[in-house]
Amino acid sequence: MILQAHLHSLCLLMLYLATGYGQEGKFSGPLKPMTFSIYEGQEPSQIIFQFKANPPAVTFELTGETDNIFVIEREGLLYYNRALDRETRSTHNLQVAALDANGIIVEGPVPITIKVKDINDNRPTFLQSKYEGSVRQNSRPGKPFLYVNATDLDDPATPNGQLYYQIVIQLPMINNVMYFQINNKTGAISLTREVTENIWKAPKPVEMVENSTDPHPIKITQVRWNDPGAQYSLVDKEKLPRFPFSIDQEGDIYVTQPLDREEKDAYVFYAVAKDEYGKPLSYPLEIHVKVKDINDNPPTCPSPVTVFEVQENERLGNSIGTLTAHDRDEENTANSFLNYRIVEQTPKLPMDGLFLIQTYAGMLQLAKQSLKKQDTPQYNLTIEVSDKDFKTLCFVQINVIDINDQIPIFEKSDYGNLTLAEDTNIGSTILTIQATDADEPFTGSSKILYHIIKGDSEGRLGVDTDPHTNTGYVIIKKPLDFETAAVSNIVFKAENPEPLVFGVKYNASSFAKFTLIVTDVNEAPQFSQHVFQAKVSEDVAIGTKVGNVTAKDPEGLDISYSLRGDTRGWLKIDHVTGEIFSVAPLDREAGSPYRVQVVATEVGGSSLSSVSEFHLILMDVNDNPPRLAKDYTGLFFCHPLSAPGSLIFEATDDDQHLFRGPHFTFSLGSGSLQNDWEVSKINGTHARLSTRHTEFEEREYVVLIRINDGGRPPLEGIVSLPVTFCSCVEGSCFRPAGHQTGIPTVGMAVGILLTTLLVIGIILAVVFIRIKKDKGKDNVESAQASEVKPLRS
């Protein structure tokens, strides 16, 4: 809401008969300290006081805060020459002295005080031209939500400076009711009591006991719109498969069926009020329903049988494990608070009560003595778990396991020497080792893990253990290397994953060794990297070094370098140093990067070789003149021209351009063309060729265009644009075909056509006559045959 207010100050009209007056109410007198009160804004040249001189004084002098307003005549007449302004200076402190004929002070100076009295000559002014405020619905009437402030330069100790606030107008004015009021002294704006209370409010959260047996539906809360006639509905934003709430057209909200806290412990939905047209009257109200728990769920066991293990030397009081049952009722309430109790131990050997369980935590402990596996390897416990209303029996199986009091022992301490070629495949099994453990099989006490503790700092070997036999298989994990480790003395240690019992330690029986001898295999040279890359300008001089490669032979043999795939014959390589040089002009436009293979071949030995890649990136130089972007044939103007025309063409070049693209300039290629043609640039790649007049002959013109690329150095090319002036038919150029050698004229073509038709006609006539003649002959012969044919008897 935006509020505006106007201030009205209290105006007082007062009339005074005298302009100034002293402390004694007289207008003349001797020289002495005096105070005068004068209203601001009065007409100037008003007399304040007449000082009288005592001989030898003959004249008076005025000093102090005169502001060129106060003046004293030689005869002692004190007055002011223009109106006073209290807001500029409220008190003027002056001094008056009496002088003799020689200008020497003979009396005084004495203080004269002029007090400027206020008149109401200043309008109140707001500190802001516009105030904005907001007020919440249902705010308490009379509670300020906005303050306005104004100032007045007049004396605040007088009615002239006292401010009074009032609201002049309220927009909009609904039903002629003022909804707002202002404190006339403080400027505080608040609601009036005319504002009615909004009853469209969200109700308090509702609590419902689960699984209620009361008849449903049950009213749980209500909402009300401010006016009658509203249409109510509920919105389920959670899209539940079962929404157990409804609302009637009075705004009463019901639960329609029993709720189950374990299915859903809280509901949030919305109540909506709409008008008769289905339009919402206000924002939806959020409804919260919490489902209160009852003890309707018994405790459940974590599994049909919970299994724990305990070592046979476990000390009394040590934890064996914790049985954790569950209760679906609300956590941390009496409904889900569980108690544990052992109700049966089987077998009861060597005695009953060997175990105890903590009542509230469910932790099982040894109660009377340590266990021995040879006495009983397994115990079964029945444990009662209960809440305040339900009881459940859970079953626990406790297995007594052997303690780790035996160490692994190798079948032999030295596995001798093993000789392998350095190119033996990774993953190969090179040795089988075996240790045994007398603890209970297939437990953490008897399982054996093998570790290489010495002689393989590079991690070239590893040991895999068969979990059923504890056999160790030594495998190659990384390539062997004769050059760095020809002989290695490998030491194994066999350990259990379970810690040994106190007092038992691993000794020499748990260690074994073997000697690995690696034989040399001639290996190919090795490049320092898979791909070598260099970057040079495409215009480097022939013979320039453009890069180099390096390789080493594991056996230390010399290496000879060569190139492969130099299809353009641009490069050569120093076969000793690996330096690569240019041997021909390079061209970025022909191919960049330029890729070749480098071959490193060992000198001597088996002449093994290896291959790497060399990529030469060519940086562009401006070495390609501009040209037309395409073949511009068929350019024409319809003849005769009715007005100068133009054509657009595009240029390009093969050099590399920055992201902003090329910037060509265009001009005519010959000065003789300037009378007929002109070229204008459109952008960096396009230009317009225009005619300067319309007097062109009906023929083809070849226009030369000079294109400059502005590069470093700049290159230019002169291109030809053939332009034809021709007669047009439906916007297309029509050019009648002329007689060419070997091609008949129209008359000749017509003669040939007629001659051809005549020949065809003659041939058809001859054929027709021949057929007719043959038919007549056949008829005669038939008749003759019938005459001589004898009759049959």
Side-chain angles (χ1 to χ4, degrees):
M1 155 176 270
I2 299 176
L3 300 177
Q4 294 181 326
H6 298 276
L7 301 184
H8 296 266
S9 58
L10 180 64
C11 299
L12 300 177
L13 179 62
M14 300 182 180
L15 300 177
Y16 293 92
L17 297 177
T19 300
Y21 53 90
Q23 294 165 317
E24 300 175 357
K26 299 177 180 181
F27 295 97
S28 64
L31 184 62
K32 63 178 180 179
M34 299 190 72
T35 299
F36 299 93
S37 296
I38 303 173
Y39 279 98
E40 64 176 330
Q42 293 191 5
E43 293 295 325
S45 301
Q46 302 261 3
I47 298 173
I48 300 174
F49 196 76
Q50 173 71 60
F51 291 101
K52 295 181 179 180
N54 297 317
V58 296
T59 185
F60 293 91
E61 179 184 56
L62 179 65
T63 58
E65 299 170 342
T66 64
D67 294 347
N68 295 322
I69 298 176
F70 297 97
V71 181
I72 193 167
E73 298 292 341
R74 293 177 59 84
E75 298 81 8
L77 188 64
L78 178 66
Y79 66 95
Y80 55 95
N81 55 22
R82 67 173 184 268
L84 302 180
D85 184 12
R86 189 198 70 83
E87 287 72 42
T88 301
R89 191 189 294 273
S90 61
T91 301
H92 294 264
N93 296 303
L94 310 175
Q95 295 85 34
V96 176
L99 311 178
D100 60 14
N102 296 321
I104 299 173
I105 296 175
V106 296
E107 187 177 358
V110 298
I112 305 298
T113 303
I114 307 296
K115 293 185 176 180
V116 184
K117 300 193 68 175
D118 185 49
I119 65 172
N120 193 16
D121 60 345
N122 290 280
R123 291 179 178 274
T125 303
F126 279 105
L127 298 183
Q128 299 174 213
S129 61
K130 186 177 182 181
Y131 290 83
E132 295 187 6
S134 61
V135 59
R136 295 182 180 274
Q137 287 184 330
N138 309 322
S139 292
R140 177 168 52 84
K143 180 180 180 181
F145 63 89
L146 178 66
Y147 286 85
V148 298
N149 295 283
T151 59
D152 193 310
L153 296 176
D154 291 320
D155 189 354
T158 68
N160 299 336
Q162 295 178 0
L163 303 182
Y164 299 89
Y165 300 89
Q166 73 177 69
I167 297 176
V168 176
I169 189 171
Q170 168 192 293
L171 295 176
M173 179 72 77
I174 303 174
N175 299 326
N176 203 31
V177 175
M178 286 294 294
Y179 290 152
F180 302 94
Q181 61 188 352
I182 189 169
N183 187 302
N184 63 357
K185 293 183 180 180
T186 65
I189 298 176
S190 60
L191 295 174
T192 65
R193 296 190 179 276
E194 300 295 332
V195 180
T196 58
E197 180 184 3
N198 177 26
I199 62 174
W200 180 247
K201 302 176 183 178
K204 294 181 180 180
V206 178
E207 290 190 351
M208 285 289 301
V209 175
E210 67 171 329
N211 298 324
S212 172
T213 58
D214 294 338
H216 287 71
I218 302 172
K219 179 180 176 181
I220 57 174
T221 188
Q222 67 182 30
V223 295
R224 293 290 186 271
W225 179 242
N226 298 306
D227 301 310
Q231 299 178 1
Y232 301 100
S233 61
L234 298 181
V235 177
D236 171 27
K237 290 195 174 182
E238 295 182 279
K239 305 299 182 184
L240 299 173
R242 182 176 66 95
F243 183 66
F245 301 97
S246 65
I247 188 171
D248 62 20
Q249 291 312 302
E250 297 298 323
D252 294 333
I253 298 175
Y254 299 87
V255 58
T256 59
Q257 57 191 16
L259 305 179
D260 184 1
R261 192 203 68 84
E262 287 71 41
E263 178 183 326
K264 187 170 178 60
D265 61 355
Y267 294 85
V268 178
F269 52 92
Y270 296 86
V272 179
K274 297 181 179 179
D275 61 15
E276 59 183 338
Y277 304 106
K279 182 179 179 180
L281 294 169
S282 183
Y283 55 85
L285 300 181
E286 194 171 77
I287 312 297
H288 290 262
V289 177
K290 179 182 178 182
V291 184
K292 294 181 66 176
D293 185 48
I294 62 173
N295 191 21
D296 57 347
N297 289 281
T300 59
C301 302
S303 60
V305 177
T306 302
V307 179
F308 297 115
E309 290 184 345
V310 58
Q311 288 188 340
E312 59 181 353
N313 67 333
E314 199 73 51
R315 289 182 293 179
L316 297 182
N318 281 7
S319 172
I320 297 173
T322 300
L323 177 67
T324 304
H326 302 282
D327 194 307
R328 294 185 62 201
D329 291 316
E330 186 173 1
E331 294 182 1
N332 302 317
T333 66
N335 296 335
S336 61
F337 189 72
L338 303 181
N339 294 272
Y340 298 86
R341 182 174 68 90
I342 297 175
V343 295
E344 185 178 5
Q345 168 192 316
T346 305
K348 298 179 174 57
L349 297 175
M351 64 184 70
D352 196 8
L354 289 174
F355 307 95
L356 62 84
I357 190 168
Q358 293 186 3
T359 305
Y360 305 117
M363 186 174 74
L364 283 162
Q365 298 170 285
L366 277 177
K368 294 185 177 179
Q369 68 177 46
S370 296
L371 307 177
K372 292 184 179 181
K373 185 174 183 178
Q374 57 267 36
D375 293 340
T376 305
Q378 185 181 96
Y379 291 90
N380 294 290
L381 302 180
T382 302
I383 298 177
E384 178 188 88
V385 185
S386 60
D387 60 21
K388 65 178 186 178
D389 296 314
F390 297 95
K391 295 179 180 179
T392 300
L393 296 180
C394 295
F395 301 97
V396 174
Q397 176 181 305
I398 300 177
N399 296 324
V400 182
I401 62 174
D402 184 32
I403 61 173
N404 192 14
D405 57 355
Q406 302 292 322
I407 64 173
I409 299 175
F410 273 102
E411 63 178 4
K412 56 183 176 179
S413 61
D414 191 343
Y415 284 86
N417 297 336
L418 179 61
T419 301
L420 298 173
E422 63 177 332
D423 61 352
T424 303
N425 292 333
I426 294 176
S428 300
T429 300
I430 62 173
L431 181 66
T432 301
I433 57 178
Q434 183 72 60
T436 57
D437 192 300
D439 289 311
E440 182 182 357
F442 307 112
T443 66
S445 300
S446 62
K447 182 179 179 180
I448 298 177
L449 301 178
Y450 299 97
H451 303 285
I452 298 175
I453 63 171
K454 185 178 179 181
D456 185 29
S457 59
E458 298 296 326
R460 301 182 191 276
L461 304 179
V463 184
D464 291 339
T465 304
D466 186 322
H468 301 289
T469 64
N470 279 338
T471 301
Y473 300 97
V474 183
I475 61 174
I476 297 178
K477 295 172 58 180
K478 295 181 180 180
L480 304 179
D481 188 6
F482 169 80
E483 287 72 26
T484 59
V487 178
S488 301
N489 294 310
I490 308 299
V491 178
F492 302 105
K493 180 181 180 182
E495 297 179 293
N496 301 127
E498 286 287 333
L500 296 172
V501 298
F502 180 75
V504 178
K505 296 181 180 181
Y506 294 103
N507 57 35
S509 300
S510 298
F511 295 86
K513 65 179 181 177
F514 85 102
T515 300
L516 175 61
I517 301 171
V518 180
T519 59
D520 187 27
V521 174
N522 190 19
E523 299 171 276
Q526 297 175 355
F527 280 98
S528 58
Q529 55 196 70
H530 295 295
V531 178
F532 295 86
Q533 185 169 289
K535 183 185 295 185
V536 296
S537 177
E538 64 174 325
D539 63 348
V540 296
I542 295 175
T544 301
K545 177 183 174 181
V546 297
N548 67 283
V549 298
T550 57
K552 292 178 64 177
D553 184 74
E555 288 75 37
L557 297 176
D558 292 336
I559 293 175
S560 176
Y561 299 96
S562 60
L563 295 179
R564 182 189 297 170
D566 182 15
T567 56
R568 299 187 182 275
W570 285 353
L571 305 175
K572 72 173 182 179
I573 189 169
D574 188 308
H575 70 278
V576 176
T577 64
E579 296 176 315
I580 300 175
F581 300 87
S582 66
V583 295
L586 307 178
D587 185 6
R588 185 200 67 84
E589 290 71 32
S592 178
Y594 185 56
R595 297 179 173 89
V596 296
Q597 291 182 328
V598 183
V599 182
T601 305
E602 63 182 14
V603 179
S606 303
S607 298
L608 297 178
S609 62
S610 57
V611 179
S612 182
E613 294 281 335
F614 177 72
H615 295 174
L616 181 61
I617 299 173
L618 301 177
M619 295 181 293
D620 188 47
V621 297
N622 194 29
D623 58 351
N624 289 277
R627 56 180 174 81
L628 292 176
K630 60 182 179 179
D631 184 17
Y632 285 93
T633 57
L635 299 177
F636 70 92
F637 289 107
C638 291
H639 184 274
L641 284 177
S642 59
S646 63
L647 300 167
I648 295 175
F649 62 93
E650 180 184 1
T652 186
D653 69 16
D654 297 318
D655 290 315
Q656 186 177 23
H657 299 284
L658 300 177
F659 61 90
R660 62 189 182 95
H663 280 265
F664 300 126
T665 58
F666 303 88
S667 61
L668 292 172
S670 173
S672 61
L673 300 171
Q674 294 181 355
N675 293 330
D676 299 328
W677 306 91
E678 67 176 343
V679 177
S680 57
K681 181 178 178 179
I682 298 176
N683 54 35
T685 57
H686 291 72
R688 187 188 310 275
L689 174 64
S690 306
T691 62
R692 286 185 174 274
H693 56 80
T694 61
E695 304 299 325
F696 287 89
E697 297 179 5
E698 187 176 358
R699 64 180 179 86
E700 182 181 82
Y701 292 78
V702 177
V703 183
L704 301 180
I705 307 294
R706 178 178 284 106
I707 308 174
N708 189 300
D709 64 7
R712 297 181 182 177
L715 294 179
E716 66 179 26
I718 296 180
V719 299
S720 299
L721 281 177
V723 182
T724 301
F725 289 82
C726 60
S727 300
C728 291
V729 176
E730 295 182 354
S732 298
C733 185
F734 174 74
R735 283 173 281 191
H739 177 69
Q740 298 182 17
T741 304
I743 300 178
T745 64
V746 174
M748 294 174 64
V750 172
I752 292 171
L753 178 61
L754 292 176
T755 302
T756 303
L757 292 174
L758 180 60
V759 172
I760 294 173
I762 293 171
I763 295 171
L764 291 175
V766 171
V767 171
F768 177 77
I769 293 171
R770 181 69 179 269
I771 293 173
K772 187 174 182 181
K773 184 177 180 180
D774 291 343
K775 185 176 181 182
K777 184 177 180 180
D778 290 340
N779 292 334
V780 172
E781 292 178 349
S782 176
Q784 293 176 347
S786 62
E787 290 179 359
V788 299
K789 186 175 180 180
L791 296 175
R792 295 185 181 224
S793 56

